[in-house]
């Protein structure tokens, strides 16, 4: 079987720099997967594949290196965070630029040693933990000194509690030396992470009635909000007398921790500890989110534990404000996240919530953040991590995701949520939507556009909404020489759509044209509007889709107020404005030269935006943005589902709606806290404070979750999308049944890859109640598979639609998960729709229809899945088994199963060469290393990666040479990867296409 556990994923395209070969020798690309031969080779190859290390020395090499300008590297996100422009840098410049690296060391961390006590908040325990951590850090000294000698930089951070690591600024060209230091296990580029309504508590059974019946309000629980910061002054962030009496972390204990750590502040009994790990500044302005991540951490805090107009899942729980996102730059670093996890554990957190993520690339269990989560779990602290919001990978065109049309590894789940010790959470839709809306009224006060959903820039003065304004259209655009009366002109590169002498002190309506290259983003438009003394710019979204979030600048001396409205709302508003304009020249009989004449309405008023509520039409569906699993080695992720679509919660000053697996993970984190609270109260042994607690909690949540049913597909959604289903807190607290895979005691069954028509697995039923019970066993729904179709009338959940003009040019590709516009190289209009359907004539049988289990004991039974001969190979087979007690009061226990019917390793790894029929992206060729065009070019109509110019791609006649007179002395091998790959060898072969003349590189 192909080795796949390194989790290196080339997708989108892989760029491989290749040195010149002998003149006249044709090149042929051979791609294969080779296992590591020795541990030393694995280490060295890991260094090679993670860190391109081109170092330019000679004059000739400097000239040649200019051709590597813009080639992507794994540390581009860090370069961007430093204020650099990686697209403008060559590989040599990048390899000689310092970026933050982490050295994971071979010796054990303090938490791995049996002599280190578990945290309990007392000064004696804190002393012992700190001493154990210091002992580990002291032993790092020889490695620290050598690393500083190699890099010429001082070590930035040393960790020794949950992980044994040190961080340092280093050049990628120095990585081999760092890796060779005795005691260094791995060298990691530090990752940069991004952030991933009270009625929705009902969906997860978290209701006031439930709290009343069970006393489940989170009292005595402490949850770490590892995010972008909390504004603790919000009136909804409080404890009542009940919560205060049972508060876990006291002011004295917080102060004691601050004394040991020399940082952090006590804010309130609700937020007893806060620290800005991103900037190490603890003023309140720096602790709360200033808007750079849209007050994400505050929204998270409200869903978890708001206790006012909004009721969180655990309103009486305390929150740790562990801020890992800076107010001054995007992204959270590995160091900040690891420090926040370690301190949360030391402070006695019951649950860690990480509503953040990065794509699953270069994943390793030794990554510091992953190791920290796993070790926190072993100490009985439950990490809950958002699965991420990348949607179906087939709907993405991204270097971090597999390509469309590839059913095998359509995986988009985030890296930290793959950790064994984490509960990974997918998202389903909530019950209501909340929209910020405004009304437009004419000079008489009559409303002509009612409840228009809007996004508005922060900081608009209050008196703006009380004044009368003149609102002006940007004119009718011409489409194929004909006026389109439904739309307005878009912003252009030069004027952005404003004419100062005509638009001063008016509101201007312009079509949104979010093109950074044309400087027409929202912020660009705000600056241009201010320059032209425009009162406000109303941007009409350029395509028909849900109103997207956008990055506004606060209103100030350089930025005018801005408002974004949807495509449909814009069409309606334009029609009203043109109807009301007394001298509007956009009538059908008007000539094109008249279009720029006055098109405005005076004395218009806009109401101050308010929040309006409506039923969510997608309630009960999985959110299209939720990321999919499984892992590349066929383990199920995500684990469970929470409610994450259209969630109403807190902003710094007020309330707001957001969507995302960020929101979904909070319902699960809160549920874990409720379950632990009830287990403590009822003296139920779930292994609290031990390494069993995490395993037991995850299994309990999975068994009692309710799989979400797709009415469109008439089947349950795939376990790869929803895990075990939507968490059900009431069911979890009532359950006395635990069902696990007998092979590994997990709450999900990984069938892996199988080729026979039948596949048998074994389940354990454990009766944890005090009375004997009899259980029925059956399949929940049918045995299902994933269906991909080009039938536009077929039910579908996610996918892509591409439309083409009569000449075969791509006009637009619509992603059904609303992620954006994408381009594909198909010769015909392509439709890729994905949904789950039951397999006709497939069946699930059990060795026993009923199983009797004495109290406290475990019984085993077998389950067999049979697929018909007509079932296509290379397809998913998945579903759910339900175990139900004959007692009606006992909730059913469900367990998901999934596997791959066929040969998991047989799928196409690399896209076909560009010149071959069936090439998906047209990236398979040897390219000019400067322009990335094929070495042999000509306008023959064979597409390459260039969308606007058609280039020939002919690998059999592409050549590179060492000769100075040669046009091509080097090349870049451009490949579009379809599968997760561990290793790629690039060889130059002889004419027989078998003999290896030269091994060029291993990636």
């Amino acid at each position: 079987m192909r080795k796949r556990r390194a989790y290196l994923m080339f997708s989108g395209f892989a760029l491989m720099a290749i040195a010149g070969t002998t003149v006249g020798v044709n090149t042929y690309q051979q791609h294969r997967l080779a296992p590591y031969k020795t541990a030393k080779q694995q280490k060295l190859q890991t260094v090679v594949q993670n860190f391109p290390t081109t170092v330019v020395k000679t004059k000739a090499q400097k000239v040649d290196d200019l051709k590597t300008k813009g080639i992507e590297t794994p540390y581009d996100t860090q370069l961007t965070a430093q204020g650099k422009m990686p697209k403008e840098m060559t590989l040599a410049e990048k390899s000689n630029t310092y970026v933050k690296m982490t050295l994971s060391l071979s010796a054990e961390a303090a938490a791995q040693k049996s002599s280190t006590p578990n945290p309990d908040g007392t000064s004696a325990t804190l002393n012992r933990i700190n001493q154990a951590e210091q002992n580990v850090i002291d032993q790092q000294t020889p490695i620290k000194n050598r690393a500083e000698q190699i890099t010429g930089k001082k070590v930035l951070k040393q960790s020794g509690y949950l992980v044994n690591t040190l961080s340092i600024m280093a050049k990628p060209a120095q990585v081999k030396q760092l890796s060779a230091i005795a005691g260094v296990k791995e060298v990691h580029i530090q990752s940069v992470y991004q952030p991933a309504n009270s009625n929705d508590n009902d969906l997860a059974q978290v209701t006031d009635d439930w709290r009343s019946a069970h006393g489940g309000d989170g009292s005595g629980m402490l949850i770490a909000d590892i995010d972008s910061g909390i504004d603790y002054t919000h009136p909804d962030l409080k404890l009542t007398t009940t919560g205060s009496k049972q508060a876990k972390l006291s002011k004295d204990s917080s102060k004691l921790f601050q004394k040991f750590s020399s940082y952090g502040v006590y804010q309130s009994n609700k937020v007893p500890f806060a620290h800005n790990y991103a900037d190490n500044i603890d003023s309140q302005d720096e602790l709360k989110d200033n808007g750079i991540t849209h007050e994400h951490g505050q929204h998270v805090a409200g869903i978890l534990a708001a206790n006012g107009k909004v009721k969180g899942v655990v309103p009486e729980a305390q929150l740790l404000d562990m801020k890992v996102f800076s107010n001054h730059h995007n992204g959270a670093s590995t160091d900040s996240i690891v420090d926040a996890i370690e301190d949360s554990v030391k402070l006695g957190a019951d649950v860690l919530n990480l509503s953040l993520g990065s794509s699953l690339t270069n994943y390793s269990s030794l990554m510091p953040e992953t190791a920290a989560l796993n070790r926190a779990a072993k100490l009985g602290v439950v990490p809950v991590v958002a699965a991420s919001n990348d949607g179906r990978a087939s709907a993405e065109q991204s270097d971090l995701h597999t390509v469309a049309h590839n059913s095998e590894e359509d995986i988009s789940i985030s890296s930290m949520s793959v950790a064994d010790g984490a509960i990974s959470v997918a998202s389903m839709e909530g019950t209501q939507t909340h929209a910020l809306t405004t009304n437009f009224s004419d000079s008489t006060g009559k409303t002509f556009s009612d409840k228009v959903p809007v996004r508005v820039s922060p900081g608009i003065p209050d008196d703006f909404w009380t004044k009368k304004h003149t609102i002006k259209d940007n004119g009718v655009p011409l489409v194929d020489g004909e006026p389109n009366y439904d739309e307005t002109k878009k912003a252009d590169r030069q004027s952005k759509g404003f004419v100062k002498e005509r638009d001063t002190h008016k509101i201007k309506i312009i079509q949104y044209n979010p093109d950074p290259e044309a400087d027409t983003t929202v912020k660009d438009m705000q600056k241009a509007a201010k320059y032209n003394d425009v009162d406000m710019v109303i941007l009409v979204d350029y395509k028909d889709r849900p109103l997207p979030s956008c990055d506004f600048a606060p209103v100030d001396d350089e930025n005018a107020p801005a408002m974004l409205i949807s495509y449909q709302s814009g069409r309606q508003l334009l029609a009203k404005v043109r109807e009301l304009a007394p001298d509007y020249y956009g009538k059908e009989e008007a000539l094109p030269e008249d279009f720029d004449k006055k098109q405005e309405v005076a004395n218009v008023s806009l109401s101050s935006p308010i929040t309006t509520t409506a039923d969510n039409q997608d309630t009960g569906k999985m959110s299209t943005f939720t990321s999919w699993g499984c892992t590349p080695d066929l383990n199920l992720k995500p684990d469970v589902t929470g409610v994450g679509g259209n969630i109403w919660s807190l902003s710094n000053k007020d309330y707001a709606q957001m969507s995302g697996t960020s929101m979904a993970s909070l319902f699960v984190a809160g549920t874990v806290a409720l379950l632990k609270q009830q287990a403590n109260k009822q003296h139920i042994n779930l292994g609290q404070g031990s390494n069993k607690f995490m395993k037991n909690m995850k299994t309990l949540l999975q068994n009692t979750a309710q799989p979400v049913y797709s009415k469109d597909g008439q089947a349950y959604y795939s376990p790869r999308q929803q895990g075990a289903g939507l968490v059900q807190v009431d069911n979890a607290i009532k359950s006395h049944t635990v069902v696990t895979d007998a092979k590994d005691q997990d709450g999900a069954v990984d069938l892996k890859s199988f080729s026979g028509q039948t596949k048998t697995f074994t389940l354990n039923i454990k009766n944890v109640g005090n009375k004997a019970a009899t259980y029925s066993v059956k399949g929940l729904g049918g045995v299902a598979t994933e269906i991909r179709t080009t039938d536009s009338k077929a039910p579908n959940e996610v996918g892509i639609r591409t439309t083409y003009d009569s000449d075969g040019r791509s006009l637009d590709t619509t992603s059904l998960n609303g992620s954006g516009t994408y381009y594909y190289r198909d010769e015909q209009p392509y439709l890729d729709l994905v949904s789950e359907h039951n397999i006709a004539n497939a069946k699930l049988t059990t060795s026993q229809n009923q199983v009797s289990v004495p109290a406290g004991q475990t019984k085993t039974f077998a389950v067999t899945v049979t697929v018909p001969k007509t079932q296509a190979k290379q397809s998913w087979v998945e579903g759910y088994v339900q175990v139900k007690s004959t007692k009606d009061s006992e909730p059913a226990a469900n367990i998901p199963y999934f596997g791959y019917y066929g040969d998991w390793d047989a799928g196409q790894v690399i896209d076909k060469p560009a010149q071959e029929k069936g090439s998906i992206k047209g990236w398979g060729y040897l390219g000019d290393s400067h322009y990335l065009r094929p070495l042999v070019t000509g306008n023959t109509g064979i597409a390459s990666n260039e969308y606007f110019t058609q280039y020939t791609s002919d690998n059999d006649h592409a050549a590179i040479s060492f000769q100075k007179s040669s046009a091509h002395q080097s090349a870049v091998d451009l490949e579009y990867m379809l599968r997760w790959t561990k290793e790629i060898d690039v060889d130059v072969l002889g004419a027989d296409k078998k003999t290896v003349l030269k091994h060029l590189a291993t990636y």
Side-chain angles (χ1 to χ4, degrees):
M1 180 173 178
R2 187 172 65 207
K3 295 187 178 181
R4 310 168 63 80
R5 295 186 62 83
Y7 293 99
L8 171 66
M9 183 167 95
F10 290 110
S11 54
F13 60 87
L15 294 173
M16 307 172 193
I18 299 176
T21 60
T22 306
V23 178
V25 175
N26 293 340
T27 58
Y28 176 83
Q29 293 160 293
Q30 179 190 43
H31 304 284
R32 58 189 174 84
L33 294 164
Y36 297 129
K37 298 177 179 64
T38 65
K40 182 178 180 181
Q41 184 188 45
Q42 178 173 359
K43 184 174 181 178
L44 290 175
Q45 289 179 350
T46 299
V47 169
V48 170
Q49 64 197 15
N50 287 347
F51 304 93
T53 55
T54 301
V55 180
V56 172
K57 294 180 181 178
T58 68
K59 184 176 181 180
Q61 287 172 322
K62 287 180 180 179
V63 173
D64 191 60
D65 183 59
L66 289 174
K67 300 174 182 178
T68 68
K69 185 176 181 180
I71 290 180
E72 295 182 29
T73 65
Y75 33 88
D76 279 8
T77 51
Q78 281 203 53
L79 295 173
T80 302
Q82 292 179 28
K84 301 183 185 302
M85 300 179 67
K87 289 184 178 180
E88 299 300 317
M89 298 173 70
T90 67
L91 278 181
E93 290 170 335
K94 291 180 181 181
S95 67
N96 283 288
T97 301
Y98 284 97
V99 292
K100 193 180 288 187
M101 308 244 181
T102 298
L103 279 61
S104 291
L105 310 186
S106 302
E108 286 186 329
Q112 293 176 280
K113 301 177 185 293
S114 58
S115 58
T116 305
N118 285 2
D120 60 12
T122 64
S123 58
T125 300
L126 272 176
N127 266 319
R128 290 180 62 194
I129 288 173
N130 285 339
Q131 186 57 56
E133 181 179 22
Q134 192 58 50
N135 290 342
V136 173
I137 290 174
D138 288 344
Q139 292 169 13
Q140 296 176 353
T141 301
I143 299 173
K144 172 179 175 287
N145 292 341
R146 179 61 181 140
E148 290 179 342
Q149 183 183 30
I150 291 169
T151 62
K153 297 286 186 179
K154 292 292 184 183
V155 163
L156 300 170
K157 180 75 177 65
Q158 292 175 264
S159 299
Y161 178 45
L162 295 179
V163 293
N164 185 5
T165 62
L166 56 84
S167 300
I168 194 167
M169 297 298 289
K171 297 176 181 179
Q174 297 166 336
V175 169
K176 286 186 180 180
Q177 288 176 280
L178 293 172
S179 300
I181 299 173
V184 173
K185 197 168 187 177
E186 277 192 4
V187 177
H188 307 272
I189 308 166
Q190 288 216 1
S191 299
V192 178
Y193 291 83
Q194 301 297 336
N197 59 46
S198 54
N199 288 348
D200 293 312
N201 291 341
D202 296 350
L203 287 171
Q205 297 183 329
V206 183
T207 63
D208 290 336
D209 290 342
W210 188 91
R211 293 189 184 102
S212 175
H214 297 278
D217 56 10
S219 295
M221 295 292 106
L222 182 64
I223 303 177
D225 182 8
I226 302 175
D227 212 284
S228 67
I230 299 174
D231 182 0
Y232 79 98
T233 64
H234 195 290
D236 282 16
L237 289 177
K238 62 189 176 185
L239 295 180
T240 66
T241 303
T242 300
S244 297
K245 286 180 178 178
Q246 299 180 52
K248 183 173 189 176
L249 185 60
S250 67
K251 184 174 184 178
D252 289 343
S253 294
S254 176
K255 292 290 186 182
L256 177 65
F257 183 83
Q258 294 167 43
K259 180 180 178 181
F260 276 113
S261 61
S262 301
Y263 55 76
V265 293
Y266 175 88
Q267 294 190 314
S268 67
N269 61 358
K270 181 71 171 180
V271 187
F273 179 82
H275 179 54
N276 180 340
Y277 291 89
D279 304 301
N280 200 29
I281 307 172
D282 286 335
S283 66
Q284 181 54 24
D285 284 345
E286 294 292 345
L287 282 168
K288 68 180 181 181
D289 185 345
N290 70 349
I292 195 168
T293 60
H294 307 288
E295 301 173 11
H296 187 270
Q298 183 78 343
H299 200 266
V300 165
I303 297 172
L304 272 173
N307 202 4
K309 291 182 181 178
V310 168
K311 284 286 186 185
V313 182
V314 278
E316 298 292 354
Q318 291 177 290
L319 297 173
L320 298 175
D321 180 7
M322 316 304 265
K323 181 180 174 73
V324 294
F325 291 95
S326 172
N327 287 348
H328 308 289
H329 58 79
N330 285 314
S333 70
T334 293
D335 275 351
S336 297
I337 293 169
V338 170
D339 287 350
I341 292 170
E342 288 197 328
D343 285 353
S344 299
V345 174
K346 291 177 184 177
L347 285 161
D350 298 286
V351 185
L352 312 175
N353 185 79
L354 295 99
S355 289
L356 47 89
S358 67
S359 296
L360 182 56
T361 54
N362 279 341
Y363 174 84
S364 164
S365 61
L366 292 178
M367 287 170 58
E369 51 271 64
T370 306
L373 289 179
N374 287 336
R375 285 166 194 161
K378 289 183 178 180
L379 294 174
V381 183
V382 180
V384 180
V385 184
S388 200
N389 302 330
D390 289 320
R392 183 76 181 192
S394 67
E396 296 288 339
Q397 181 207 330
S398 166
D399 300 341
L400 301 179
H401 301 134
T402 48
V403 70
H405 315 243
N406 174 33
S407 61
E408 289 88 1
E409 291 187 68
D410 207 346
I411 301 169
S412 58
I413 198 163
S414 76
S415 57
M416 275 199 290
S417 73
V418 176
D420 290 339
I423 297 176
S424 174
V425 185
S427 171
M428 72 172 290
E429 286 299 300
T431 56
Q432 293 185 323
T433 61
H434 297 75
L436 198 64
T437 63
T438 189
N439 297 332
F440 292 82
S441 302
D442 62 20
S443 57
T444 67
K446 181 181 178 182
T447 298
F448 61 85
S449 283
D450 185 29
K451 294 183 179 179
V452 179
V454 297
R455 302 257 194 256
V456 294
S457 52
I460 298 176
D462 291 341
D463 64 356
F464 174 88
W465 309 106
T466 60
K467 292 179 180 177
K468 297 286 188 178
H469 300 277
T470 296
I471 186 168
K472 184 175 182 180
D473 174 20
N474 196 35
V476 179
L478 292 176
V479 178
D480 296 328
E482 297 294 328
N484 182 348
Y485 296 99
D486 291 329
E487 298 184 6
T488 188
K489 291 179 181 177
K490 67 181 181 181
D492 59 77
R493 181 186 293 271
Q494 301 300 323
S495 70
K496 307 294 184 292
F498 302 106
V499 180
K500 192 165 188 175
E501 59 269 23
R502 300 179 186 175
D503 297 339
T504 297
H505 304 309
K506 296 175 184 175
I507 294 176
K508 190 72 179 284
I509 305 174
I510 301 175
Q511 186 189 99
Y512 182 35
N513 178 27
D515 183 357
E517 299 296 327
D519 300 323
T520 52
T521 66
V522 174
K523 287 183 176 179
D524 294 325
M525 297 299 291
Q526 287 183 261
K527 285 187 181 298
K530 188 68 177 181
Y531 175 79
N532 288 282
D533 294 326
V534 171
D535 287 351
M536 171 184 272
V537 56
I538 295 178
L539 298 169
V540 178
D541 200 9
Y542 69 101
K543 63 187 297 186
D544 190 8
R545 59 175 176 172
L547 191 60
S549 299
C550 58
D551 193 10
F552 288 104
V555 175
D556 55 23
D557 292 339
E558 294 184 352
N559 296 282
M563 176 183 290
L564 179 67
I565 64 177
S566 71
Y567 178 79
Q568 290 297 341
S569 295
R571 290 160 70 102
Q572 294 165 12
L573 177 62
L574 286 166
K576 289 291 184 182
V577 167
R578 291 166 180 173
E579 178 184 324
L580 293 171
D583 47 3
Y584 178 67
Y585 284 88
K587 310 300 183 185
E588 289 189 20
E589 65 274 11
L591 297 175
E593 58 264 25
D594 294 325
F595 287 169
D596 287 332
K597 293 187 178 181
K598 195 173 181 182
Q599 302 173 16
E600 61 189 38
V601 180
N603 297 314
V604 172
S605 57
L606 286 72
S607 63
S608 178
I610 61 171
T611 301
T612 57
T613 305
D615 291 338
N616 184 358
Q617 300 303 308
D618 291 326
T619 297
K621 294 184 177 182
M622 292 297 295
S623 301
T624 54
F625 57 74
T626 195
S627 286
W628 285 58
C630 53
T631 67
D633 50 353
L634 291 174
N635 292 324
L636 184 62
K637 285 285 181 172
D639 298 303
V640 291
T641 290
V643 185
N646 299 296
I647 308 301
W648 186 243
S649 184
L650 310 185
S651 61
N652 285 354
K653 294 181 179 180
D654 199 8
Y655 305 90
Q657 175 176 285
M658 291 187 186
S659 293
T661 54
S662 284
M663 286 69 245
S665 72
L666 304 165
F667 285 96
V668 177
T671 297
V672 170
L674 286 174
L675 292 174
K676 185 173 182 181
Q677 179 194 10
Q678 292 309 296
N680 292 345
K681 184 177 179 180
Q682 299 177 23
H683 307 289
I684 298 171
N685 181 16
L686 291 175
Q688 291 91 317
S690 75
N691 60 3
K692 295 180 180 179
F693 183 65
M694 169 67 204
K695 184 98 171 175
N696 292 342
M697 183 61 66
K698 183 190 286 190
T699 302
L700 180 62
L701 289 174
Q702 289 176 309
N703 278 179
T704 57
Q706 176 58 52
V708 184
Y709 189 77
S710 167
K711 294 179 181 177
D712 289 337
Q714 297 296 305
Y716 287 95
Y717 285 97
S718 167
R720 293 170 293 116
Q721 186 179 16
Q722 65 167 318
L726 180 65
V727 293
Q728 301 289 296
V729 65
D730 199 15
N731 288 351
I733 203 66
K734 288 178 181 177
S735 178
H736 297 102
T737 307
V738 178
V739 180
T740 57
D741 184 352
K743 178 183 65 203
D744 53 17
Q745 287 72 56
D746 280 347
V749 179
D750 307 322
L751 300 178
K752 303 296 184 180
S753 177
F754 64 98
S755 57
Q757 281 183 255
T758 62
K759 180 68 175 178
T760 299
F761 54 96
T762 306
L763 297 179
N764 288 338
I765 302 178
K766 184 175 182 179
N767 178 1
V768 296
N770 54 16
K771 295 181 181 179
T774 300
Y775 302 92
S776 63
V777 183
K778 63 178 182 178
L780 182 64
V783 178
T785 192
E786 175 179 292
I787 298 294
R788 286 173 173 244
T789 180
T790 57
D791 179 2
S792 61
K793 297 180 181 179
N796 65 85
E797 303 297 338
V798 292
I800 56 172
R801 279 191 179 94
T802 305
T803 54
Y804 292 77
D805 65 15
S806 57
D807 295 324
R809 291 182 298 233
S810 170
L811 295 175
D812 187 38
T813 298
T814 302
S815 166
L816 301 188
N817 67 358
S819 295
T821 301
Y822 311 99
Y823 299 91
Y824 292 91
R825 186 187 169 265
D826 300 274
E827 288 79 8
Q828 300 296 324
Y830 187 80
L831 187 66
D832 179 21
L833 303 176
V834 179
S835 58
E836 196 79 356
H837 294 264
N838 291 327
I839 302 172
N841 301 317
K843 59 183 179 179
L844 182 144
T845 56
T846 60
S847 58
Q848 299 168 264
N849 292 330
Q850 284 196 334
V851 182
S852 296
V853 186
Q857 293 191 26
T858 300
K859 289 291 183 71
T860 300
F861 65 97
V863 179
T864 299
V865 174
T866 304
V867 296
K869 292 180 179 180
T870 54
Q871 177 63 18
K873 287 290 185 73
Q874 309 303 91
S875 61
W876 295 104
V877 174
E878 50 202 354
Y880 298 85
V881 177
Q882 184 173 84
V883 177
K884 182 75 172 69
S885 170
T886 53
K887 299 176 183 177
D888 291 336
S889 60
E890 175 75 11
N894 303 313
I895 185 168
Y897 63 89
F898 86 107
Y900 190 73
Y901 179 52
D903 184 354
W904 177 241
D905 292 319
Q908 188 177 344
V909 177
I910 299 175
D911 189 16
K912 290 182 178 181
Q915 77 271 18
E916 289 188 14
K917 184 176 178 58
S919 176
I920 295 167
K921 274 297 291 182
W923 272 101
Y925 57 83
L926 286 177
D928 175 277
S929 56
H930 182 58
Y931 296 105
L932 305 185
R933 296 170 181 167
L935 290 180
V936 181
T937 61
N939 191 7
T940 64
I942 300 178
S944 73
N945 64 305
E946 299 288 335
Y947 298 127
F948 302 110
T949 306
Q950 303 299 301
Y951 287 94
T952 296
S953 176
D954 184 356
N955 283 348
D956 289 336
H957 298 91
I960 49 181
S961 170
F962 280 128
Q963 300 297 321
K964 292 183 179 179
S965 60
S966 172
H968 300 295
Q969 297 176 14
S970 63
V972 173
D973 182 27
L974 294 106
E975 300 298 335
Y976 202 75
M977 308 306 298
L978 302 180
R979 301 295 301 268
W980 292 68
T981 59
K982 179 177 182 177
E983 184 177 310
I984 302 172
D985 285 339
V986 181
D987 298 326
V988 177
L989 305 182
D992 61 1
K993 298 185 180 180
K994 295 179 181 179
T995 306
V996 177
L997 301 180
K998 183 177 178 61
H999 174 71
L1000 294 177
T1002 296
Y1003 296 89

